[in-house]
Amino acid sequence: MSTVTAEQYDGWTEEQCADVEIVGGVVVARPSRSARHNRIARLVANALDDAGGADWNADCGFDLRLRDVPLDNRCPDVVVYRADTVEEMPARPEHVLLVVEVVSPGSETTDRLVKPDQYAKAGIPFYWRVEQAAGRVAVVHTCLLDEASRVYRAGEVFTGLVKAAVPFPVEVDLTDLP
C-alpha cells in the first residue's frame, strides 16, 4: 500500500480531496453524512462563529493538518480557528481552539476514540462530540485538554440546549431537530 505525502496531497484538486482524510499517509474515505448531521454541524458552527467575535472563526468541513510526516490530515465537522489565519490552509493545530465532531452511523469509533486522541496529541485545547440519533435530542459532550498528559478530560454535557462558558460563552439550540 502506497502512502500519500503532504506535498502530494497539497497538489490534489478539490475534488480529489473531497470526502477523504489522510491517516498515517493512508487515504481513508469519510462516511456519507445525513442532512441532519450537516444541519447540526451548521447550527453549531454558526453559533460558535457568532460567539467567537472578531478573534475566532468557526467553519464546517475543511482540512486540518495534524502532522506532516506521516501525513495526518483530518476534516472535522466544525473547526474554531484564529481569525487572522483564515488564509492559511490547511489549518494547523496551533491556530485551532476547538474541533467538533458529529457522530453518525459508521463514524462512532473514529469520533469517540481515534479523532479525540489525535486532536489531543496535536494540542487542540477543546473537543466537542455531538451524539445524534434519529428521533432523539442531540447530546453534546465537551472536553478540555489536559496539557500535561495531552488527553481530553470530560467537561460539561448538554442535552438539546448548549449553554457553554468555555472556550467562550456560546448558546446552541439543538432541541427541535427533525
Side-chain angles (χ1 to χ4, degrees):
M1 171 180 4
S2 65
T3 58
V4 177
T5 66
E7 184 177 273
Q8 289 169 327
Y9 184 80
D10 291 344
W12 287 7
T13 66
E14 199 171 306
E15 292 77 27
Q16 289 173 302
C17 297
D19 295 322
V20 300
E21 294 179 314
I22 311 296
V23 181
V26 177
V27 177
V28 177
R30 292 176 64 205
S32 60
R33 294 159 304 282
S34 68
R36 186 172 197 259
H37 174 282
N38 291 339
R39 179 163 173 70
I40 289 170
R42 186 170 41 83
L43 288 170
V44 171
N46 289 347
L48 288 166
D49 195 57
D50 288 344
D55 294 332
W56 298 101
N57 291 342
D59 286 309
C60 293
F62 63 81
D63 286 347
L64 172 56
R65 179 74 46 89
L66 298 173
R67 179 173 66 177
D68 287 315
V69 179
L71 180 59
D72 281 331
N73 206 82
R74 290 295 193 172
C75 188
D77 292 316
V78 179
V79 178
V80 177
Y81 60 98
R82 284 193 355 233
D84 63 353
T85 65
V86 70
E87 297 297 327
E88 297 179 36
M89 292 296 151
R92 296 292 184 155
E94 59 269 22
H95 302 151
V96 175
L97 180 65
L98 163 69
V99 290
V100 181
E101 294 288 356
V102 180
V103 179
S104 295
S107 75
E108 297 96 336
T109 300
T110 303
D111 290 343
R112 292 177 186 149
L113 301 172
V114 178
K115 285 185 176 183
D117 182 61
Q118 288 181 317
Y119 298 150
K121 284 187 171 97
I124 297 170
F126 297 93
Y127 175 73
W128 289 7
R129 186 182 77 244
V130 182
E131 297 282 347
Q132 51 115 12
R136 294 198 196 147
V137 175
V139 178
V140 179
H141 299 263
T142 66
C143 301
L144 302 93
L145 183 65
D146 178 310
E147 292 279 340
S149 64
R150 290 282 174 124
V151 171
Y152 287 118
R153 302 287 180 220
E156 294 183 276
V157 177
F158 300 95
T159 300
L161 181 62
V162 177
K163 286 188 174 184
V166 293
F168 40 72
V170 62
E171 187 171 312
V172 188
D173 190 354
L174 302 175
T175 55
D176 291 329
L177 295 170

